[in-house]
Amino acid sequence: HAQVLEVTNAPPITPQNLITNIFLGDGVEVLSVTYEGSSNAVGFFKDGQVAVGMERGIVMTTGRAVTQGFQFGVAEAGSVQASVDNGSNVMDPDMEAIAGGEQVFNVTKYIITFIPIADTLRFRYAFGSEEYPEYVCSDFNDIFGFFISGPGINGHYQNNAANIALIPGTNLPVRINNVNPGQVGAAGQPENCNPPRGSLSYSQYYNDNDGSGMMPVYDGITDVFTAEAIVQPCQIYTIKLVIC
């Protein structure tokens, strides 16, 4: 029998030690971890191979990571409504830039400074949203950003950071108006998915979970993507992980 997805953020788990103990594997020396947002918005998951395509890792959400009452967390079925509004008043200019200058909400953000030992960093992640599928091509557009800055990185974001949370083979950031079922949602407008504002061309990476009894709670989730960056060993780099 398949194991059931579990998510927890109870002590001794903290937003900081989620990074040092779980997110960052061998081959890096952690210098600092800064977390901005609600402590309820992050957590540790295990037994996630069936639900998300990864056995264990960290959760970041714009709602609650763990169910409390009728505020449903990640380890619930797609047939229920995921919690929304984690109460964060954090802002992030790079996410606003991806959103085309629009205001962003419910920001959950990590800033991690570290020294890599090897010359390549790889991080595996999946992106899920309760806004699938009805809000595809709407003005409501969940976004994930994975920004890296440091020697040899020359990107378009703060501190010359590059966003490496991209749809495979493209320069498109991971958001519901870029990776989706390939159809305009009931609350969407086609123009919001016309390039460069969005796309309906990457449905092969989308997995429908709307109304199902399967975990996670979100109505849609992407395949597992790999964010990769070439780095200079033994130099200082900064990663910023943001969802909003």
Side-chain angles (χ1 to χ4, degrees):
H1 294 282
Q3 292 179 299
V4 176
L5 176 70
E6 294 184 33
V7 179
T8 182
N9 54 14
I13 292 173
T14 68
Q16 286 74 19
N17 68 30
L18 280 169
I19 296 297
T20 55
N21 295 341
I22 298 164
F23 178 73
L24 292 176
D26 296 334
V28 294
E29 176 188 349
V30 181
L31 300 180
S32 67
V33 178
T34 300
Y35 177 72
E36 298 179 37
S38 167
S39 60
N40 293 321
V42 294
F44 165 62
F45 77 84
K46 66 177 182 177
D47 299 331
Q49 191 63 48
V50 172
V52 298
M54 292 176 285
E55 182 62 25
R56 66 195 295 269
I58 71 166
V59 167
M60 298 175 64
T61 172
T62 58
R64 299 185 69 95
V66 177
T67 297
Q68 184 177 39
F70 292 103
Q71 296 292 312
F72 293 116
V74 178
E76 302 287 349
S79 56
V80 304
Q81 179 77 30
S83 60
V84 296
D85 191 358
N86 58 27
S88 170
N89 58 5
V90 176
M91 290 289 104
D92 188 83
D94 290 334
M95 297 301 265
E96 290 175 354
I98 290 177
E102 298 293 335
Q103 187 176 357
V104 297
F105 301 90
N106 303 128
V107 172
T108 299
K109 175 163 58 174
Y110 277 109
I111 300 174
I112 308 158
T113 304
F114 66 99
I115 298 174
I117 296 172
D119 63 2
T120 305
L121 294 171
R122 293 185 183 91
F123 302 93
R124 301 173 69 234
Y125 68 97
F127 171 81
S129 177
E130 192 68 29
E131 293 182 347
Y132 288 127
E134 60 269 31
Y135 287 99
V136 170
C137 306
S138 78
D139 293 330
F140 299 97
N141 193 6
D142 285 346
I143 306 171
F144 175 61
F146 194 133
F147 306 93
I148 184 168
S149 59
I153 306 294
N154 187 23
H156 304 293
Y157 299 95
Q158 279 191 320
N159 302 316
N160 293 322
N163 180 23
I164 57 174
L166 303 174
I167 298 172
T170 78
N171 289 316
L172 297 174
V174 172
R175 55 183 183 173
I176 71 166
N177 283 1
N178 283 341
V179 56
N180 49 57
Q183 297 180 331
V184 177
Q189 301 84 38
E191 59 269 21
N192 284 333
C193 282
N194 290 335
R197 300 183 69 181
S199 176
L200 297 172
S201 300
Y202 300 99
S203 60
Q204 68 268 33
Y205 300 118
Y206 174 79
N207 301 285
D208 179 58
N209 198 41
D210 188 16
S212 86
M214 298 290 292
M215 296 177 179
V217 69
Y218 305 111
D219 286 351
I221 188 169
T222 68
D223 289 350
V224 175
F225 294 151
T226 299
E228 181 174 297
I230 305 301
V231 294
Q232 298 174 16
C234 303
Q235 300 295 312
I236 297 176
Y237 287 85
T238 299
I239 282 174
K240 183 171 68 172
L241 301 172
V242 197
I243 194 163
C244 66

